[in-house]
Amino acid sequence: MMPNAPRYRPGTTAGHYESWFLRANHPERPLAFWIRYTVFSPRGRAGGACGELWAIVFDGESERSVAVKQDVPIDDCRFAGDTWPDVRIGAATLESGRAHGEAASTGHTISWTLAMRGEPRPLLLLPRSMYDARLPRAKSLVPVPLAVFDGPLVVDGQRLDVAGWVGSQNHNWGSRHTDHYAWGQVAGFDGHPESFLEVATARLRFGPFWTPPMTPLVLRHAGREHRLNATRRTLRARSQLAYFTWSFAVANDDVAIEGTIDAPRWAVVGLTYRNPPGGEKHCLNTKIAHCRLVVRDRRTGATEILESAHRAAFEILTDDRAHGVPLSV
């Protein structure tokens, strides 16, 4: 599998979205960034395709976040790559080991010139066979977990120096957005900088019917990869989601993992995602959430607690309009 290879085909009328995004946290302070390079193509209107450039800088010290989004004509974009992305949206680029760009909207501007290092060691949230299957219609993976970033971010003229911030480079795509989900990621826990968590709870809608919640989870910790993503396991998992606390519990024969990811409302930014079949979804997005995991070895009974005070990614995608988060872009 080439983890960053684009699935978008120019001229498609099937409807498609695809994103390559970077995200990272300050090693100690509640500061984070999220930068997203996206192609959006509405179903039935190949001529309506465009590139989208997104950026958010989260500042948990001032309890203030700045978010921007800019559309670019599809003819001024390039989407390529294999092990590493090779993406251009206007003048903004994402290539092997570096990202450069600027986006402006709603009176704000964010620019970035970042170097990225890390081992391309893809983490698959879904079973490998699902990436080539028709369902689910939305796929995601992490081509570079534990990516390290250096370089300047400039937010409304104020420079923020990124030095050794740890996060990830991610890739997702599909013909429609998942109907409802929560997604979480931790790139290094407090005291366990080499551990990495990827988890989601999703529900799909088929006409008037909804599937039960499914919760795939992959944890790399202490030299092992715990893949709790087989379909039968995800359906047996327990989960509970409320604004803005999410709890989950997943197990297999070897390990049981229970977790909570939560964030204060002020740390969450509201975004509007266009859906290829039509309509819009709201994405409630923070990269400075708290996460706590309880990992129990079911063979020995040994239990370990992993925690990240403010370096967890946490997103909710919803059609609900009563979440109370203002939409920034």
Side-chain angles (χ1 to χ4, degrees), residues 19-316:
S19 296
W20 294 260
F21 72 87
L22 314 173
R23 72 97 183 171
N25 295 79
H26 188 285
E28 298 174 354
R29 299 165 61 191
L31 305 173
F33 69 80
W34 175 80
I35 298 168
R36 185 176 187 252
Y37 298 72
T38 296
V39 55
F40 173 77
S41 179
R43 187 168 66 191
R45 293 194 301 112
C50 68
E52 300 175 344
L53 198 58
W54 304 72
I56 308 175
V57 174
F58 299 88
D59 185 343
E61 295 175 335
S62 66
E63 299 187 2
R64 177 176 177 267
S65 299
V66 175
V68 295
K69 181 213 171 186
Q70 190 167 321
D71 288 350
V72 174
I74 196 68
D75 290 342
D76 200 13
C77 299
R78 180 184 70 243
F79 303 100
D82 41 50
T83 301
W84 296 92
D86 181 8
V87 175
R88 179 177 61 81
I89 297 180
T93 56
L94 174 59
E95 302 168 303
S96 175
R98 58 188 182 272
H100 171 80
E102 178 177 292
S105 64
T106 63
H108 297 290
T109 302
I110 298 176
S111 64
W112 57 93
T113 303
L114 298 170
M116 178 179 67
R117 50 195 161 90
E119 179 184 359
R121 190 182 164 210
L123 183 150
L124 307 184
L125 181 60
L126 303 173
R128 182 177 292 270
S129 61
M130 285 190 174
Y131 287 92
D132 295 321
R134 180 173 175 270
L135 295 175
R137 293 188 176 93
K139 329 277 190 182
S140 68
L141 54 82
V142 189
V144 189
L146 297 175
V148 182
F149 296 88
D150 298 279
L153 286 166
V154 180
V155 184
D156 293 338
Q158 298 296 311
R159 179 177 171 127
L160 175 62
D161 288 313
V162 172
W165 291 25
V166 179
S168 58
Q169 184 259 310
N170 305 263
H171 185 198
N172 57 51
W173 67 92
S175 59
R176 62 181 295 162
H177 288 295
T178 301
D179 295 291
H180 185 241
Y181 73 63
W183 169 80
Q185 186 188 88
V186 179
F189 287 84
D190 302 341
H192 298 276
E194 300 304 316
S195 297
F196 192 95
L197 171 71
E198 182 92 352
V199 59
T201 293
R203 297 181 68 203
L204 307 179
R205 184 173 58 195
F206 297 92
F209 303 106
W210 286 85
T211 67
M214 296 168 282
T215 303
L217 181 151
V218 179
L219 173 67
R220 290 179 176 172
H221 175 62
R224 298 181 63 188
E225 180 172 277
H226 301 287
R227 293 187 297 271
L228 287 75
N229 61 0
T231 301
R232 66 182 184 280
R233 301 287 184 187
T234 68
L235 288 167
R236 292 175 185 170
R238 292 183 286 109
S239 64
Q240 186 171 2
L241 176 62
Y243 300 126
F244 294 93
T245 298
W246 170 33
S247 61
F248 47 85
V250 194
N252 62 16
D253 293 340
D254 297 321
V255 67
I257 300 175
E258 297 185 13
T260 300
I261 299 178
D262 59 271
R265 186 182 296 267
W266 59 259
V268 179
V269 175
L271 309 175
T272 301
Y273 283 1
R274 292 176 287 191
N275 206 11
E280 297 176 339
K281 312 287 286 190
H282 286 185
C283 177
L284 312 181
N285 185 324
T286 183
K287 300 297 179 279
I288 51 173
H290 162 261
C291 178
R292 184 178 188 271
L293 289 186
V294 179
V295 183
R296 180 170 60 87
D297 188 315
R298 300 188 73 181
R299 300 185 186 278
T300 68
T303 299
E304 190 169 11
I305 295 176
L306 305 180
E307 193 153 10
S308 178
H310 45 63
R311 291 187 293 119
F314 181 18
E315 296 181 12
I316 298 169

